């Protein structure tokens, strides 16, 4: 028999739409969960930064109050370096969270579009 290959049942536009819809439904919870985790880590980073600031301030105060010469400056510098790294990681997480939000928005928008197409019976 001549002609193009016969299309298998379930491989037409409706099947592709159904697969895409399923994939979007699968991705949405993962993206939301990842977004929640990134948000939680960012909150922890802010709390850690505040604790580092408090500890550095306390070390400086102790150093000033000591009668005996105790050089705490290296420790304060280490704390400030750790704080700088925490801020850097927080910025990276903030950028990742923003990308996740955009991805989540795109997934939701595409889901709505595909649902509307399926309900209208139209195919791309």
């Amino acid at each position: 028999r001549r002609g193009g290959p016969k299309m298998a049942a379930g491989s037409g536009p409706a099947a592709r739409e159904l697969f895409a819809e399923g994939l979007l439904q699968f991705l949405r919870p993962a993206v939301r969960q990842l977004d929640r985790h990134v948000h939680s880590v960012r909150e922890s980073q802010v709390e850690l930064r505040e604790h580092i600031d408090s500890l550095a301030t306390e070390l400086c105060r102790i150093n000033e109050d000591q009668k005996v010469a105790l050089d705490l400056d290296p420790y304060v510098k280490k704390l400030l370096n750790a704080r700088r790294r925490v801020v850097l990681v927080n910025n990276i997480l903030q950028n990742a969270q923003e990308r996740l939000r955009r991805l989540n928005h795109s997934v939701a928008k595409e889901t709505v579009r595909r649902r509307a197409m399926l309900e209208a019976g139209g195919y791309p």
Side-chain angles (χ1 to χ4, degrees), residues 1 8 12 21 34-35 37 52 72 83 90 93 104 118:
R1 189 171 165 182
E21 176 71 21
L34 191 54
D35 185 55
H37 286 290
I52 288 172
L72 296 177
R83 182 191 187 280
N90 196 30
L93 287 171
N104 193 25
L118 283 173

Side-chain angles (χ1 to χ4, degrees), residues 63 93 111:
N63 198 26
L93 287 171
T111 299

Side-chain angles (χ1 to χ4, degrees), residues 24-41:
L24 289 173
Q25 292 297 328
F26 174 74
L27 288 176
R28 182 179 294 122
V31 170
R32 285 184 180 154
Q33 181 182 19
L34 191 54
D35 185 55
R36 283 192 304 271
H37 286 290
V38 168
H39 181 73
S40 175
V41 170

Side-chain angles (χ1 to χ4, degrees), residues 10 14 26 28 54 57 76 100 120:
F26 174 74
R28 182 179 294 122
S54 174
T57 301
V76 172
L100 279 171

Side-chain angles (χ1 to χ4, degrees), residues 3-102:
K6 197 172 191 180
M7 196 177 274
S11 63
R16 284 193 297 272
E17 287 295 321
L18 189 58
F19 175 75
E21 176 71 21
L23 187 58
L24 289 173
Q25 292 297 328
F26 174 74
L27 288 176
R28 182 179 294 122
V31 170
R32 285 184 180 154
Q33 181 182 19
L34 191 54
D35 185 55
R36 283 192 304 271
H37 286 290
V38 168
H39 181 73
S40 175
V41 170
R42 285 186 59 213
E43 285 178 348
S44 296
Q45 292 279 319
V46 168
E47 189 176 322
L48 178 59
R49 188 179 70 222
E50 290 169 356
H51 285 299
I52 288 172
D53 288 344
S54 174
L55 186 55
T57 301
E58 188 65 22
L59 282 176
C60 287
R61 189 190 63 73
I62 290 171
N63 198 26
E64 290 170 1
D65 291 348
Q66 290 294 319
K67 304 280 189 244
V68 180
L70 216 96
D71 190 18
L72 296 177
D73 285 342
Y75 301 105
V76 172
K77 286 179 184 176
K78 284 182 182 182
L79 280 171
L80 294 176
N81 189 35
R83 182 191 187 280
R84 183 187 58 79
R85 286 182 293 194
V86 166
V87 169
L88 181 65
V89 169
N90 196 30
N91 289 339
I92 291 168
L93 287 171
Q94 187 174 0
N95 290 336
Q97 188 172 32
E98 184 55 37
R99 287 192 301 266
L100 279 171
R101 281 194 185 119
R102 286 193 306 263

